[in-house]
Coordinates of all heavy atoms in Angstrom, one line a residue:
P88 N -10.6 11.5 11.5 CA -10.6 12.2 12.8 C -12.0 12.8 13.2 O -12.4 12.6 14.3 CB -9.5 13.2 12.6 CG -8.8 12.9 11.4 CD -9.7 12.2 10.5
A89 N -12.7 13.4 12.2 CA -14.0 13.9 12.5 C -15.0 12.8 12.9 O -15.8 13.0 13.8 CB -14.5 14.7 11.3
A90 N -14.9 11.6 12.3 CA -15.8 10.6 12.6 C -15.6 10.1 13.9 O -16.5 9.8 14.7 CB -15.6 9.4 11.6
R91 N -14.3 10.0 14.4 CA -14.0 9.5 15.8 C -14.5 10.6 16.8 O -15.0 10.2 17.8 CB -12.5 9.3 15.9 CG -12.0 8.1 15.1 CD -10.6 7.7 15.6 NE -9.6 8.8 15.3 CZ -8.9 8.8 14.2 NH1 -9.1 7.9 13.3 NH2 -8.1 9.8 14.0
A92 N -14.3 11.9 16.5 CA -14.8 12.9 17.4 C -16.3 12.9 17.6 O -16.8 13.1 18.6 CB -14.2 14.2 17.0
A93 N -17.0 12.7 16.4 CA -18.4 12.7 16.4 C -19.0 11.7 17.4 O -20.1 11.9 17.9 CB -18.9 12.6 15.0
T94 N -18.4 10.5 17.6 CA -19.0 9.5 18.4 C -19.0 9.9 19.8 O -19.8 9.3 20.6 CB -18.1 8.2 18.3 OG1 -16.8 8.5 18.6 CG2 -18.2 7.8 16.8
S95 N -18.2 10.9 20.2 CA -18.3 11.3 21.7 C -19.3 12.4 21.9 O -19.3 12.8 23.1 CB -16.9 11.8 22.0 OG -16.5 13.0 21.3
A96 N -19.9 12.9 20.9 CA -20.9 14.0 21.2 C -22.1 13.4 21.8 O -22.7 12.4 21.5 CB -21.3 14.7 19.8
P97 N -22.6 14.1 22.9 CA -23.8 13.6 23.6 C -25.0 13.8 22.7 O -25.1 14.8 21.9 CB -23.9 14.5 24.8 CG -23.2 15.7 24.5 CD -22.1 15.3 23.5
A98 N -26.1 12.9 22.9 CA -27.3 13.0 22.1 C -28.0 14.3 22.4 O -28.7 14.8 21.5 CB -28.2 11.9 22.4
A100 N -26.9 17.2 22.5 CA -26.2 18.3 21.8 C -27.2 18.9 20.7 O -27.1 20.0 20.4 CB -24.9 18.0 21.3
S196 N -23.5 17.8 16.6 CA -23.0 16.4 16.9 C -21.7 16.6 17.6 O -21.2 15.6 18.2 CB -22.8 15.7 15.6 OG -24.0 15.4 14.9
F197 N -21.1 17.8 17.7 CA -19.8 17.9 18.4 C -19.9 18.9 19.4 O -20.6 19.9 19.4 CB -18.7 18.5 17.3 CG -18.3 17.5 16.2 CD1 -19.2 17.1 15.3 CD2 -17.0 17.1 16.2 CE1 -18.8 16.1 14.3 CE2 -16.6 16.1 15.2 CZ -17.5 15.7 14.2
T198 N -19.2 18.5 20.6 CA -19.1 19.5 21.7 C -18.0 20.4 21.4 O -17.2 20.3 20.4 CB -18.7 18.7 23.0 OG1 -17.5 18.1 22.9 CG2 -19.8 17.6 23.2
T200 N -15.4 20.9 23.1 CA -14.2 20.2 23.3 C -13.8 19.4 22.1 O -12.6 19.3 21.7 CB -14.3 19.2 24.6 OG1 -14.5 20.0 25.7 CG2 -13.0 18.5 24.8
D201 N -14.8 18.7 21.5 CA -14.6 18.0 20.3 C -14.0 18.9 19.2 O -13.0 18.5 18.5 CB -15.8 17.4 19.8 CG -16.4 16.2 20.7 OD1 -15.5 15.5 21.3 OD2 -17.6 16.0 20.6
L202 N -14.6 20.0 19.1 CA -14.2 21.0 18.0 C -12.8 21.5 18.2 O -12.1 21.6 17.3 CB -15.2 22.1 17.9 CG -16.7 21.7 17.4 CD1 -17.7 22.9 17.6 CD2 -16.6 21.3 15.9
Q204 N -10.4 19.9 19.7 CA -9.6 18.8 19.4 C -9.4 18.6 17.9 O -8.3 18.4 17.3 CB -10.0 17.5 20.1 CG -9.9 17.5 21.5 CD -10.5 16.2 22.2 OE1 -11.2 15.4 21.5 NE2 -10.4 16.0 23.4

Side-chain angles (χ1 to χ4, degrees):
R91 288 195 297 269
T94 58
S95 65
S196 304
F197 288 66
T198 66
T200 299
D201 292 334
L202 292 170
Q204 292 175 353

